[in-house]
Amino acid sequence: MDRGQRLGSEKILTLLVRLSAPATVAMLVNALYNIIDTIFIGRGVGYLGIGGLTVAFPVQMAIMALAQTIGIGAASATSRNLGAGEVEKAKKVAGNSFLASMLMGAVVFTVGNLMMNPILKMFGATDTLLPYAKEYLRIILIGSLYFPFVVNANNLIRSEGNSKVAMISMIVGAVINTCLDYLFIFPMNMGIKGAALATITSQFFSLLYVLCYFYGENSLIKVKIRHLKFDWSIQKEILKIGSSSFARQIAGSLMAIAINNSLAFYGGDLALSVFGIVQRVMMFLFMPMFGIVQGMQPIVGYNYASGNAKRVIEVVKLAITGITVMAVVSTILGQLFPASIIRLFDDSQEVVETGILALRISIAMIPIVGVQIVGAALFQSLGKVIPALVLTISRQILFLIPLVLVLPKIGGLGLIGIWISFPLADLLSTVFTSFWVKKQINELKRSIQ
């Protein structure tokens, strides 16, 4: 039985575990790399280095947003074409996504270098942190020339049901990055520049790996020269579907503008650095959950296209359950050992004291986010752009940014108000998403009857 047939007939639990496990491991490894990267910077450069990384990180998120727009849009279109038996159309989608990734990388590199100072200041860079952020970002932008292709390729690989290869690609990059981080930051004493060089070098090795896969024997989507012909109708489909992912990622960058500037105002460089630590810890908690979603998406797309709504409902329920269990365990660990977690990055008393409180408050509502994480991905996989877009931006744009701007001013909450904004946004967006998901599940149930 080939991979396409398995998406439509294999037992859902077995299929979800098989597709999610590699994606979850890859996400966990990637999140662990981000943790180790920040620890190395904290230990090798100091908390100001973490602050510079925090300011530059939203730019990386914006690059990822553009890359995921193409990758997830192309993956959704590809999995639905494979489900409908349109293999040649799937290859054309992949070819067009390759062209879009290369063009986007060139634009990001050019604009980023021309407007680096105003961009970093917009994201909250203080005079103290700006030199650190510039040194890091100037090198990261070199990787933007090819990293979008890697992100796109991994999404396409998962869309054909081969998440193990995508996992290996991410692991290869994370392992190389971690090793080079240590080498460049400590023995070679390159500071934050070393961290950036380690990142773009590891991304290049991931690029080589995915290229070998696509032009080897195992890929279902063998892109030939004829598939690398620009097709505006395909590009529109990719952008239309991927827009919700773009909204989610870019919402993170917009959120960073509000949060970083508020943190700089109410807590200065220390608060920005602590947020950088908390942000990495929350990524470590959330990333494995997105691994389950990535395993779910090709199953949803394939079975929806082939008219099997029952399997779509089953995999959505299983994904929500799996993410909820994972979220509960993660939150318990975070609440029990906050001091130990913060000290991994920086053991100075002021960082630890501020970090414990920030971490405990920020992760308080993570156990309820299962529906929220699955919801946007569900509509994205179904090709329903508007619901996917609305749900994608709900947490950051509709709830978190207004809370961050308002709560610190209420009753003199200040910095505490910023930390409280995170669990409140999780609660509100989960309630909001639940309504949409329940409505969609009921519609799928009616199609079965």
Side-chain angles (χ1 to χ4, degrees):
M1 186 185 299
D2 64 29
R3 289 195 295 272
Q5 290 174 323
R6 286 178 177 177
L7 288 171
S9 60
E10 189 173 358
K11 185 180 177 182
I12 287 293
L13 177 58
T14 304
L15 185 60
L16 181 61
V17 170
R18 185 169 61 81
L19 293 181
S20 294
T24 301
V25 170
M27 287 290 188
L28 191 60
V29 169
N30 192 54
L32 185 60
Y33 141 68
N34 278 295
I35 290 281
I36 294 172
D37 187 47
T38 310
I39 290 173
F40 284 166
I41 290 174
R43 294 291 180 175
V45 181
Y47 79 84
L48 291 177
I50 297 177
L53 194 65
T54 304
V55 171
F57 187 65
V59 183
Q60 291 179 275
M61 289 173 65
I63 296 171
M64 179 64 79
L66 293 166
Q68 289 282 36
T69 300
I70 298 167
I72 290 181
S76 176
T78 299
S79 63
R80 283 182 287 110
N81 279 308
L82 290 174
E86 298 284 347
V87 178
E88 187 65 17
K89 178 68 178 295
K91 293 178 181 179
K92 289 181 179 178
V93 170
N96 269 262
S97 71
F98 290 168
L99 292 174
S101 294
M102 291 185 284
L103 176 62
M104 186 268 286
V107 171
V108 167
F109 175 80
T110 303
V111 173
N113 277 288
L114 290 175
M115 302 183 64
M116 188 175 298
N117 274 13
I119 288 172
L120 290 173
K121 287 181 180 179
M122 178 178 66
F123 284 120
T126 63
D127 291 340
T128 309
L129 299 180
L130 184 61
Y132 294 94
K134 284 180 64 176
E135 188 175 18
Y136 182 81
L137 185 59
R138 187 175 289 113
I139 296 171
I140 289 296
L141 285 173
I142 297 172
S144 71
L145 291 169
Y146 51 85
F147 181 60
F149 184 94
V150 178
V151 175
N152 176 35
N154 277 327
N155 278 286
L156 288 171
I157 291 167
R158 280 188 289 266
S159 75
E160 62 176 38
N162 204 348
S163 55
K164 184 178 179 181
V165 172
M167 173 192 76
I168 294 172
S169 167
M170 294 181 71
I171 291 176
V172 166
V175 171
I176 292 174
N177 202 332
T178 301
C179 294
L180 292 179
D181 258 340
Y182 175 79
L183 177 65
F184 291 162
I185 293 175
F186 294 108
M188 297 182 68
N189 197 31
M190 296 176 70
I192 200 166
K193 180 195 291 185
L197 283 171
T199 296
I200 66 168
T201 304
S202 66
Q203 289 169 352
F204 183 75
F205 278 99
S206 292
L207 170 69
L208 295 179
Y209 181 83
V210 296
L211 284 173
C212 288
Y213 171 78
F214 273 117
Y215 293 99
E217 297 180 354
N218 296 320
S219 176
L220 295 176
I221 312 169
K222 294 194 178 299
V223 177
K224 308 291 184 182
I225 296 296
R226 69 177 183 272
H227 301 128
L228 296 172
K229 183 179 179 181
F230 190 90
D231 186 321
W232 182 236
S233 64
I234 293 176
Q235 294 289 348
K236 285 195 294 185
E237 183 182 11
I238 290 173
L239 295 175
K240 180 180 176 183
I241 298 168
S243 61
S244 60
S245 175
F246 175 79
R248 175 170 60 83
Q249 296 278 352
I250 209 68
S253 293
L254 294 175
M255 176 187 73
I257 295 174
I259 293 175
N260 287 357
N261 282 283
S262 294
L263 287 169
F265 180 79
Y266 289 104
D269 293 339
L270 175 63
L272 275 167
S273 300
V274 166
F275 176 61
I277 295 172
V278 172
Q279 190 178 40
R280 293 309 187 281
V281 174
M282 291 181 72
M283 283 179 63
F284 184 75
L285 301 182
F286 273 102
M287 290 290 268
M289 303 179 202
F290 285 110
I292 293 179
V293 166
Q294 288 185 1
M296 177 199 81
Q297 285 184 297
I299 304 173
V300 171
Y302 187 98
N303 286 283
Y304 183 69
S306 58
N308 200 334
K310 185 177 179 180
R311 286 173 66 82
V312 174
I313 295 170
E314 187 177 352
V315 74
V316 167
K317 290 181 177 179
L318 277 173
I320 292 173
T321 301
I323 288 174
T324 300
V325 171
M326 193 178 290
V328 169
V329 173
S330 298
T331 303
I332 290 173
L333 292 175
Q335 295 291 352
L336 287 176
F337 307 108
S340 299
I341 293 171
I342 300 300
R343 286 194 180 97
L344 289 172
F345 301 88
D346 192 308
D347 56 6
S348 61
Q349 184 177 356
E350 55 183 354
V351 170
V352 173
E353 288 179 355
T354 305
I356 289 173
L357 181 63
L359 180 60
R360 277 186 162 154
I361 295 174
S362 298
I363 67 174
M365 285 293 175
I366 288 181
I368 69 170
V369 301
V371 175
Q372 177 193 137
I373 293 173
V374 170
L378 167 63
F379 286 101
Q380 197 170 58
S381 301
L382 298 177
K384 297 189 175 185
V385 178
I386 299 302
L389 179 61
V390 172
L391 295 181
T392 293
I393 67 172
S394 64
R395 180 180 181 270
Q396 292 102 323
I397 301 297
L398 300 182
F399 301 117
L400 185 54
I401 290 178
L403 287 169
V404 165
L405 296 176
V406 173
L407 282 183
K409 300 176 182 178
I410 297 176
L413 284 173
L415 195 58
I416 299 296
I418 297 175
W419 306 136
I420 292 174
S421 300
F422 287 93
L424 280 178
D426 285 333
L427 176 61
L428 292 171
S429 59
T430 297
V431 173
F432 183 68
T433 305
S434 297
F435 169 79
W436 288 75
V437 172
K438 184 177 180 180
K439 183 178 178 182
Q440 180 60 53
I441 294 295
N442 287 336
E443 182 181 320
L444 290 169
K445 286 179 178 178
R446 285 193 296 270
S447 71
I448 298 172
Q449 298 170 355

